[in-house]
């Protein structure tokens, strides 16, 4: 794993009023992009991206896809927004453990790996503002689209959503406005920020092999190789590095090899003849 | 939900978040899960096993019994052994505990009855897909099944484990038809690869206690791991084992190499591309990835000779990977 570069944090909200406390908390700045409300903070070790997608499932799925296309590397994906619930008090933060679209037979169970000290609950996503609250579930308009699109780009453990209760049977959605939404989210900003960082920490545990692959590929830059030869050499070189070999020695072998076949044979033989160096585990 | 085992476990974990699901497959088999990440904080899933509770083992496997079967009251393991095939087999690292123990026992009894006239007793292995004892304080598995096997003297239960959770065994009288088989690796290999598992010393102490209490104890050097200095590591391991245990009452010792179905190997290498274990000395044959024949044979011969100085060879079982195919697959979890 690369020590200096941490995983990215990708945050998606439907509304700017939901995003505002997060923009302030993470000191994000608006990026000059036409058609998308995109905020970011490019810290030295971690990039935070936030997209305000607009209301509804199509807008959310579009926002996820847009952000995925724009970023690279491992990332934690976090949907933060407001939702209605029949009985929970306003401003209660609830991590989504299960999410289903209104018409869907089967929903998505969210793996709850990263720590969350608060409540967890079910979320039902519909196409309209909900005034007839579902039994024992939050109601929103984006959640199911967020999950189904974001898990195409990251392991499900890194795709999470926290909903803040914005309306209930006592205080209906008609009493809601942007100021109140911002207030409810801001009340939970500390907890949301901690959760986001624990997700990034989790994402950091994914293997980051890009640097090694790049270094190994550079060994062969002077050779004329078929795609298959290139893949085989890269595989064998990486395996040798895993077993205690070093890049310089491999480079010398590449330079002195008679041809590609002899190099392949030599490296294969090395892996068969030299037991690997016992090393401590990585986690 | 209404089963006594479920209630006991829920009461024990009152502060845990309880999420009710229709079928365990919704969570356990769902797509896009990452075993490596999930292993950081697995959930406990309680479910009923509806079918295929008792399964015949691959033909090669036997340690002195007649017909051989295995059963899994649990899928996945408390430990995180880097060589474990469960990482390649399951999408989820959550612990899946089947709470309908009584159904398992009914099925085991029925299978055992089919072999009542056999010369050798049928052997029932636990610990293929989990560690038999690691979660004993939560599951009460050994306690329940040892009671059941005490009433089935014509069948043998083998508990495969790395755990030192042996209190429930020490608190009761040993029974003749149960074997507690410990997977052992050299101390340096255990430290490097068997993450979260008790140290070799602690396992040996637990085995010694069990032997002292009259339990049949088995030793499993499985998988044998090829690494720099393996000769010295395994020589030391064999010496440690026979310094601590009474060789004359060891039930059996077995050797198995590091081997996996090809698909599992690919999955595991994707999870841990940087790991040395998946990088050297391996070859693919018959849908299995295992140590090259010469490497495995050399290790097995050396270690077998060391073991043969201490116990009768009829109690030593060596499982060569090249005798396995993907259909006839097996590997080590416990």
């Amino acid at each position: 794993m690369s020590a200096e570069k941490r995983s990215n944090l990708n945050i998606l909200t439907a509304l700017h009023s939901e995003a505002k406390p997060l923009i302030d908390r993470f000191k994000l700045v608006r990026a000059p992009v036409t058609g998308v409300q995109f905020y970011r903070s490019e810290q030295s070790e971690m990039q935070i991206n936030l997209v305000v997608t607009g209301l509804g499932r199509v807008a959310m799925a579009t926002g996820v896809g847009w952000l995925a296309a724009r970023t690279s590397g491992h990332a934690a994906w976090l949907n933060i927004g407001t939702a209605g619930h029949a009985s929970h008090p306003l401003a209660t933060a609830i991590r989504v453990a299960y999410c289903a679209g209104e018409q869907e037979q089967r929903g998505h169970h969210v793996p709850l790996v990263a720590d969350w000290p608060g409540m967890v609950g079910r979320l039902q996503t519909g196409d309209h503002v909900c005034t007839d609250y579902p039994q024992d579930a939050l109601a929103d308009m984006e959640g199911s689209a967020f999950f189904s699109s974001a898990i195409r780009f990251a392991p499900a453990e890194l795709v999470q959503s926290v909903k803040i209760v914005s309306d209930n049977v006592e205080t209906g959605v008609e009493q809601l406005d942007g100021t109140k939404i911002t207030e409810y989210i801001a009340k939970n900003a500390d907890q949301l920020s901690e959760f986001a960082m624990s997700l990034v920490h989790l994402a950091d545990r994914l293997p980051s092999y890009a640097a090694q692959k790049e270094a190994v590929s550079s060994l062969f830059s002077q050779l004329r190789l078929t795609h298959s030869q290139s893949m085989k050499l890269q595989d064998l070189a990486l395996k040798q590095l895993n077993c205690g070999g070093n890049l310089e020695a491999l480079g010398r072998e590449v330079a002195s090899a008679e041809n590609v076949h002899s190099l392949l044979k030599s490296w294969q033989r090395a892996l068969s003849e030299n037991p690997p160096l016992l090393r401590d585990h990585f986690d | 939900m209404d089963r006594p085992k479920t209630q006991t476990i829920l009461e024990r974990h009152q502060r845990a978040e309880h999420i009710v699901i229709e079928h365990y497959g919704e969570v356990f088999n769902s797509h896009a899960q990452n075993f490596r990440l999930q292993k950081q904080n697995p959930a406990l899933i309680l479910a009923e096993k509806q079918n295929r509770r008792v399964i015949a083992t691959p033909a090669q496997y036997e340690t002195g019994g007649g017909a051989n079967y295995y059963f899994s009251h649990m899928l996945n393991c408390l430990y995180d052994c880097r060589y474990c095939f469960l990482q390649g087999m399951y999408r989820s690292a959550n612990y899946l505990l089947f709470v309908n123990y009584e159904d398992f026992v009914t099925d085991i009894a029925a299978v055992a009855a089919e072999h009542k006239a056999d010369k050798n007793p049928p052997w029932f292995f636990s610990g293929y897909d989990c560690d038999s004892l690691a979660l004993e304080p939560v599951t009460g598995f050994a306690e329940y099944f040892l009671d059941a096997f005490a009433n089935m003297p014509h069948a043998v239960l083998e508990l495969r484990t790395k755990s030192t959770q042996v209190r429930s065994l020490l608190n009761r009288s040993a029974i003749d038809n149960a074997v507690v088989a410990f997977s052992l690796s050299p101390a340096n290999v255990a430290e490097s690869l068997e993450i979260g598992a008790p140290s070799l010393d602690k396992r040996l102490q637990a085995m010694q206690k069990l032997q002292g209490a009259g339990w049949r104890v088995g030793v499993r050097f499985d998988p044998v791991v090829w690494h720099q200095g393996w000769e010295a590591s395994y020589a030391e391991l064999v010496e440690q084992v026979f310094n601590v245990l009474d060789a004359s009452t060891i039930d059996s010792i077995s050797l198995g190499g590091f081997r996996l179905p090809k698909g599992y190997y690919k999955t595991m290498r994707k999870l841990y591309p940087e790991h040395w274990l998946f990088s050297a000395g391996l070859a693919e044959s018959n849908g299995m990835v295992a140590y090259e024949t010469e490497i495995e044979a050399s290790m097995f011969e050396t270690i077998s000779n060391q073991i043969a100085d201490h116990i009768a060879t009829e109690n030593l079982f060596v499982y060569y990977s090249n005798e396995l195919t993907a259909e006839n697959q097996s590997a080590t979890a416990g």
Side-chain angles (χ1 to χ4, degrees):
Chain A
M1 184 190 304
S2 170
E4 63 280 0
K5 176 74 179 151
R6 297 196 67 189
S7 302
N8 298 336
L9 172 62
N10 293 338
I11 302 172
L12 292 106
T13 68
L15 301 169
H16 186 268
S17 51
E18 293 170 332
K20 192 171 181 312
L22 306 168
I23 292 167
D24 295 343
R25 168 59 58 119
F26 293 118
K27 298 182 172 56
L28 307 181
V29 293
R30 180 139 191 197
V33 179
T34 308
V36 179
Q37 288 188 59
F38 176 44
Y39 297 81
R40 66 184 176 189
S41 159
E42 200 147 351
Q43 300 166 2
S44 56
E45 78 286 7
M46 178 176 68
Q47 187 176 321
I48 301 174
N49 305 302
L50 186 150
V51 174
V52 180
T53 63
L55 286 172
R57 288 192 256 202
V58 172
M60 176 56 69
T62 305
V64 169
W66 183 88
L67 188 51
R70 195 181 174 91
T71 54
S72 62
H74 299 311
W77 291 76
L78 183 57
N79 166 227
I80 293 172
T82 48
H85 190 278
S87 56
H88 285 312
L90 300 179
T92 305
I94 300 174
R95 179 189 193 176
V96 177
Y98 175 84
C99 177
E102 223 167 21
Q103 308 299 328
E104 291 168 10
Q105 292 287 320
R106 291 179 64 185
H108 171 66
H109 287 278
V110 184
L112 307 178
V113 178
D115 288 335
W116 168 256
M119 296 177 67
V120 302
R122 299 166 75 89
L123 174 67
Q124 182 178 302
T125 301
D127 289 328
H128 307 284
V129 172
C130 180
T131 50
D132 182 17
Y133 300 106
Q135 197 183 357
D136 295 331
L138 295 150
D140 85 337
M141 293 171 62
E142 293 83 25
S144 66
F146 167 74
F147 284 110
S148 58
S149 49
I151 60 171
R152 292 165 189 263
F153 305 110
E157 292 76 12
L158 300 177
V159 178
Q160 301 286 327
S161 175
V162 178
K163 294 291 174 183
I164 315 297
V165 176
S166 56
D167 49 284
N168 53 31
V169 287
E170 285 180 5
T171 312
V173 71
E174 67 282 353
Q175 297 182 42
L176 195 59
D177 59 27
T179 308
K180 283 182 181 156
I181 288 172
T182 299
E183 180 192 323
Y184 297 153
I185 302 275
K187 265 189 184 174
N188 291 283
D190 287 345
Q191 199 173 9
L192 293 170
S193 172
E194 270 180 43
F195 182 54
M197 288 309 115
S198 70
L199 280 179
V200 172
H201 182 67
L202 188 63
D204 286 342
R205 289 183 169 275
L206 287 171
S208 179
Y209 222 37
Q212 287 95 319
K213 278 186 175 171
E214 202 174 310
V216 160
S217 294
S218 70
L219 294 175
F220 318 130
S221 57
Q222 303 301 312
L223 303 179
R224 285 172 61 87
L225 300 170
T226 64
H227 178 69
S228 163
Q229 286 171 334
S230 172
M231 297 305 288
K232 277 184 189 163
L233 281 174
Q234 187 186 69
D235 183 55
L236 292 172
L238 287 169
K239 282 178 171 173
Q240 295 207 66
L241 293 180
N242 292 347
C243 295
N246 70 73
L247 207 58
E248 291 74 24
L250 295 178
R252 284 194 296 274
E253 289 181 52
V254 171
S256 63
E258 280 180 25
N259 55 48
V260 175
H261 290 290
S262 66
L263 188 59
L264 281 167
K265 273 193 174 178
S266 161
W267 282 1
Q268 187 63 64
R269 197 167 51 242
L271 290 169
S272 296
E273 290 177 351
N274 305 317
L277 189 63
L278 202 62
R279 296 189 193 181
D280 285 342
H281 57 80
F282 295 79
D283 288 326
Chain B
M1 284 291 286
D2 299 330
R3 287 185 181 271
K5 181 60 64 186
T6 308
Q7 293 307 317
T8 308
I9 292 171
L10 291 179
E11 277 165 27
R12 189 188 166 97
H13 295 94
Q14 288 182 9
R15 291 177 59 199
E17 191 70 47
H18 299 166
I19 297 170
V20 179
I21 54 177
E22 286 289 315
H23 189 274
Y24 71 84
E26 291 171 35
V27 173
F28 197 74
N29 298 331
S30 118
H31 291 281
Q33 299 182 88
N34 183 290
F35 198 100
R36 182 169 176 166
L37 294 182
Q38 221 168 80
K39 198 72 190 173
Q40 301 302 318
N41 189 14
L44 175 62
I45 302 172
L46 306 179
E48 283 185 15
K49 177 79 172 158
Q50 301 288 1
N51 51 34
R52 285 175 56 81
R53 284 183 281 261
V54 181
I55 299 168
T57 63
Q60 190 198 30
Y61 281 78
E62 52 105 8
T63 48
N68 293 285
Y69 297 90
Y70 75 96
F71 65 101
S72 298
H73 72 291
M74 187 167 160
L75 308 184
N76 280 328
C77 179
L78 198 62
Y79 310 133
D80 191 15
C81 300
R82 196 51 59 239
Y83 51 70
C84 180
F85 75 98
L86 296 172
Q87 307 164 100
M89 187 158 78
Y90 300 130
R91 291 180 180 137
S92 172
N94 290 327
Y95 309 133
L96 174 52
L97 175 68
F98 296 117
V99 293
N100 52 330
Y101 290 178
E102 53 274 33
D103 295 331
F104 279 93
V105 169
T106 301
D107 290 1
I108 289 168
V111 172
E114 292 170 17
H115 295 284
K116 210 154 193 176
D118 291 1
K119 185 180 165 200
N120 290 317
W123 211 275
F124 294 89
F125 294 92
S126 157
Y128 266 52
D129 300 322
C130 64
D131 185 287
S132 294
L133 298 179
L135 269 182
E136 183 63 15
V138 176
T139 66
F141 162 76
E143 204 173 343
Y144 188 95
F145 280 75
L146 286 168
D147 276 347
F149 273 79
N151 296 318
M152 283 187 268
H154 58 289
V156 178
L157 171 65
E158 178 167 321
L159 301 169
R160 178 74 71 94
T161 189
K162 291 190 183 89
S163 173
T164 54
Q165 295 281 1
V166 294
R167 194 176 303 158
S168 66
L169 281 81
L170 296 174
N171 284 344
R172 58 182 297 148
S173 299
I175 57 174
D176 286 341
N177 61 326
V179 176
V180 191
F182 281 77
S183 299
L184 301 180
S185 297
N188 55 347
V189 173
E191 196 177 327
S192 174
L193 295 180
E194 296 171 353
I195 300 147
S199 67
L200 172 64
D201 283 344
K202 289 200 168 142
R203 276 179 248 177
L204 287 171
Q205 283 168 21
M207 295 171 81
Q208 191 180 37
K209 282 183 195 163
L210 288 169
Q211 254 195 342
W215 289 93
R216 292 167 69 181
V217 166
V219 177
R220 307 285 171 256
F221 296 141
D222 191 351
V224 170
V225 175
W226 190 54
H227 63 279
Q228 274 184 32
W230 65 266
E231 297 96 331
S233 297
Y234 279 95
E236 191 180 344
L237 172 63
V238 170
E239 200 177 307
Q240 284 172 288
V241 167
F242 290 107
N243 278 343
V244 173
L245 302 180
D246 176 1
S248 66
T249 62
I250 290 177
D251 187 77
S252 60
I253 298 184
S254 67
L255 296 181
F258 175 52
R259 73 279 183 197
L260 296 160
K262 185 184 170 188
Y264 296 2
Y265 169 80
K266 285 173 96 171
T267 302
M268 288 160 68
R269 200 167 164 222
K270 264 187 200 164
L271 288 172
Y272 294 92
E274 74 280 25
H275 209 289
W276 56 267
L277 181 68
F278 308 116
S279 300
L282 298 165
E284 187 203 329
S285 172
N286 293 326
M288 298 288 291
V289 173
Y291 285 135
E292 292 168 26
T293 306
E294 297 77 15
I295 290 173
E296 189 182 79
S298 163
M299 289 198 293
F300 283 1
E301 189 185 343
T302 304
I303 300 166
S304 295
N305 287 338
Q306 291 161 354
I307 294 168
D309 290 341
H310 299 275
I311 65 159
T313 49
E314 62 261 30
N315 292 332
L316 175 61
F317 299 84
V318 182
Y319 303 131
Y320 287 93
S321 299
N322 61 7
E323 292 169 13
L324 292 169
T325 64
E327 292 73 40
N328 186 19
Q329 62 187 253
S330 190
T332 301

